Structure formats: structure tokens, C-alpha cells
Amino acid sequence: MKQPGILGGDVWFDDATYKDVSGQASMTAKETAEFTKQLSAIGTQFRKVNANILNSINANKDLLINIKAFNNTKIKAGKRITNPSQHVTQMFHYIANKYKKEIDSKKTEAGKNTWKAKKNDVLSFFINDKQKIVEIFKLMNMMVDAKQTLINKMNQIGSMKTFVRTRNGFKVTGVEGYVAIDKMSGKAVKLVDRLEFSRLNFSPEILKGWNK
């Protein structure tokens, strides 16, 4: 299939000139109304999030590391969070099992007690404040949905195809994301399709720069 920027069958090129695509993916009145609803719902959900819990999670390095590790297991599998309550329950068991392995691996009682204390400290968040954590993931989900609405709209431009190198050759994939620039202020916002981008980073089928 012939595409702009392709010469013959095996050479692809493009230049680094910035391409202004303003107005090429504008929302319709109906789409704008739907997106406004999304933003309004995010504002409502934001007010349900407990700031103290959010700050406590951010301050607890062990908990934060474990939350990120569990979320990455979903990304590696190409799955997004569809049920926040179930997600938090699965996360609890994931972290509990992780600490159990650490406890079981220790030879001395002192070593076991150290890890038991860490386990109790981290899991106490889920035991005492599960619903408050669920509300945080509900907010995250809604923000991801709103961001994806914009990314999907930008994808309609389709001015440039992107590729990944697999074990069976190159294949076309979605873009990593976009940068939207306000011409008046010069400020920019980066929108990244994290599920797609991270999935490709984790996938063993995608060859990285160090792979042969």
C-alpha cells in the first residue's frame, strides 16, 4: 500500500519539520458536549477523593512501589482497570503474597518480624481505607477516559504512521502520544497513550534497541 513518505517497497523517510495540524481534528458540537460531561464528572469525583489518604500513599514509598508494580502487571497484560473495587482487592492480595514470600525467605525470626512489620504497615491502608482507595482509582479511570477521548480524536489526523520492530518485521502501531501547544501562551500539554506505549515497552514480541 502506497503511503506519503514511502519510496519503493523498503525505504521510508520523513523530515523533522514541525507540521501545524490545528483544526484538522476539531470536535463537533456533540463531541464537545460529551467531553464537557466527562470533565464535569471528573470534578465531582475529585471531591470524593480523600486528600489525606492520597498524601499518605504518596509518602509511603513501600506502598507506592507496590501499587506501581501491581498496576504494571495489568499494563504488561494489555489490560486497563475496569472495576476499581476489584482492582484494589486484587492489589491487596498481590501485595500480601509478595510480602509472604519475603517473610518465608528469611532464616531468622528477627528477619521475619522486620518484614511482617512492613507487611502490616502497607496492608493497613487497604484494611482501614479500602473504599477511599477505590475512589482514587475511580478518579484515575475517569481521567484516563477523558485523555483517551482526546487521543482518539487526534488519531483521526493520521498524518504520520508509526512503526515498531517485531520478531516478524515492522508493523504499524498507534502513536505514543501528542503534544498540544497553545499558540497564544506557548504552553504545552503532553498526552500519552500509556497503555499502548507501556505495553509495547514490556512486550517480548517487540524488539528494543538492545535486542538482535
Side-chain angles (χ1 to χ4, degrees):
M1 181 173 67
K2 295 291 185 180
Q3 292 284 351
I6 294 182
L7 298 176
D10 57 3
V11 178
W12 181 90
F13 83 98
D14 196 7
D15 61 58
T17 304
Y18 170 75
K19 299 173 181 62
D20 188 343
V21 293
S22 300
Q24 294 185 33
S26 299
M27 288 185 174
T28 64
K30 181 179 179 181
E31 289 170 335
T32 300
E34 288 298 322
F35 187 64
T36 301
K37 278 186 183 179
Q38 283 184 293
L39 296 181
S40 178
I42 288 172
T44 300
Q45 181 60 30
F46 179 77
R47 289 188 286 274
K48 296 180 182 179
V49 171
N50 186 294
N52 291 331
I53 293 297
L54 194 60
N55 291 332
S56 294
I57 291 174
N58 189 55
N60 190 316
K61 292 183 179 179
D62 285 342
L63 178 60
L64 202 56
I65 288 171
N66 280 294
I67 288 176
K68 289 180 178 179
F70 177 72
N71 286 341
N72 282 339
T73 65
K74 297 295 184 182
I75 293 172
K76 288 178 182 178
K79 297 178 181 178
R80 61 159 297 176
I81 303 169
T82 56
N83 185 322
S85 181
Q86 185 182 69
H87 183 79
V88 173
T89 298
Q90 291 174 349
M91 183 184 294
F92 173 86
H93 291 299
Y94 169 87
I95 295 174
N97 288 334
K98 186 175 177 182
Y99 277 104
K100 183 179 183 302
K101 289 179 182 178
E102 288 289 349
I103 293 168
D104 292 343
S105 70
K106 303 309 172 189
K107 305 285 186 188
T108 66
E109 197 61 32
K112 290 180 182 293
N113 288 337
T114 296
W115 281 94
K116 284 179 182 178
K118 288 183 179 181
K119 175 184 175 182
N120 292 335
D121 179 52
V122 168
L123 293 184
S124 65
F125 279 89
F126 296 91
I127 295 171
N128 300 325
D129 299 297
K130 178 187 174 182
Q131 188 53 43
K132 293 176 183 178
I133 297 174
V134 169
E135 296 301 335
I136 293 172
F137 280 98
K138 283 182 180 179
L139 177 63
M140 288 175 59
N141 252 14
M142 295 167 75
M143 294 176 70
V144 168
D145 286 341
K147 180 181 72 171
Q148 196 61 47
T149 296
L150 297 178
I151 289 175
N152 291 343
K153 193 65 184 178
M154 294 296 293
N155 282 341
Q156 293 179 10
I157 297 173
S159 61
M160 176 177 172
K161 300 298 182 183
T162 54
F163 309 88
V164 290
R165 185 173 168 234
T166 73
R167 301 186 186 281
N168 297 315
F170 289 93
K171 80 172 196 176
V172 176
T173 186
V175 297
E176 175 186 332
Y178 297 94
V179 176
I181 301 173
D182 185 339
K183 289 183 176 180
M184 301 296 291
S185 67
K187 294 181 179 179
V189 176
K190 187 175 182 180
L191 301 172
V192 177
D193 187 344
R194 186 169 182 268
L195 187 61
E196 174 69 5
F197 177 56
S198 297
R199 183 188 67 80
L200 294 177
N201 274 342
F202 286 126
S203 174
E205 297 304 315
I206 307 301
L207 298 181
K208 315 322 188 272
W210 58 86
N211 294 134
K212 295 183 179 179

